[in-house]
């Protein structure tokens, strides 16, 4: 029991250090790049607060907002903050969703393959996905949110909780 608590504490400390380093890196680079893809979603949230047309971005020189109004509604909550702090919060949300994705992928794989293969496949998948992960974190994209919804849906579908799976 004590080893499990110690291991869990070490993992939490390592993840906190990685998140802190990631936040420092992101906060330094994001402003220079005008918050990349996050800027379009943030502006959509702000426009939703202002009750302006979500899909009329050409006049302002921004890329077209291509997500449904429900997503803009969610981004509206971030639109209440200054763009820098909203981007930091979005980065933290993406990081936490990523950790949950890895946890639920492990739960999905648990019992389907033996321990040696499972650890190798799990670590190899994470390592080989790092470019995708870092790009999405750097640009503030919504791919991690969509991936996490898909993984949560699969997990709950396997568990026979169809209503929760369907809601994701």
């Amino acid at each position: 029991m004590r080893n499990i608590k110690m291991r869990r504490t070490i993992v939490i400390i390592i993840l906190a250090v990685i998140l802190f380093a990631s936040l420092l890196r992101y906060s330094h680079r994001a402003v220079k790049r005008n918050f990349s893809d996050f800027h379009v979603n943030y502006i959509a949230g702000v426009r939703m607060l202002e009750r302006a047309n979500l899909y009329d971005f050409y006049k302002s020189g921004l890329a077209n907002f291509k997500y449904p109004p429900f997503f803009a509604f969610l981004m509206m909550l971030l639109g209440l903050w200054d763009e820098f702090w909203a981007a930091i919060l979005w980065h933290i949300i993406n990081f936490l969703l990523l950790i949950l994705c890895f946890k639920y992928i492990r739960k999905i794989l648990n019992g389907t393959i033996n321990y040696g293969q499972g650890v190798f496949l799990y670590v190899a998948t994470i390592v080989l996905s790092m470019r995708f992960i870092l790009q999405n974190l750097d640009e503030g994209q919504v791919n991690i949110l969509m991936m996490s919804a898909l993984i949560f849906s699969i997990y709950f579908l396997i568990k026979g909780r169809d209503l929760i799976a369907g809601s994701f």
Side-chain angles (χ1 to χ4, degrees), residues 8 33-34 37 45 56 90 107 117 119-120 141 144-145:
R8 187 173 287 156
R33 294 180 287 140
N34 196 26
D37 293 350
D56 190 17
W90 182 248
K107 287 182 176 192
Q117 289 175 328
V119 170
F120 174 75
Q141 294 181 344
I144 294 173
L145 176 67

Side-chain angles (χ1 to χ4, degrees), residues 41-153:
N41 299 326
Y42 174 79
I43 295 300
V46 170
R47 290 177 71 118
M48 188 108 171
L49 285 169
E50 296 170 349
R51 297 182 178 168
N53 185 348
L54 285 178
Y55 301 104
D56 190 17
F57 276 69
Y58 294 111
K59 293 177 185 174
S60 62
L62 289 174
N64 189 21
F65 180 73
K66 55 189 172 225
Y67 300 104
F70 180 73
F71 181 71
F73 173 75
L74 294 177
M75 293 306 291
M76 184 175 70
L77 300 173
L78 292 175
L80 295 169
W81 298 34
D82 176 65
E83 187 170 16
F84 176 81
W85 293 110
I88 294 294
L89 181 60
W90 182 248
H91 187 82
I92 292 169
I93 290 168
N94 273 329
F95 188 85
L96 295 175
L97 284 173
L98 197 58
I99 291 170
L100 287 173
C101 282
F102 292 145
K103 180 179 179 176
Y104 279 85
I105 288 171
R106 196 172 107 221
K107 287 182 176 192
I108 291 169
L109 290 176
N110 202 15
T112 59
I113 48 182
N114 68 37
Y115 182 75
Q117 289 175 328
V119 170
F120 174 75
L121 286 174
Y122 188 70
V123 171
T125 302
I126 292 171
V127 169
L128 294 173
S129 301
M130 284 312 291
R131 182 177 171 137
F132 161 79
I133 292 166
L134 290 175
Q135 180 182 6
N136 279 272
L137 286 172
D138 280 351
E139 294 180 4
Q141 294 181 344
V142 299
N143 295 333
I144 294 173
L145 176 67
M146 291 186 293
M147 180 181 72
S148 62
L150 176 65
I151 290 169
F152 299 156
S153 179

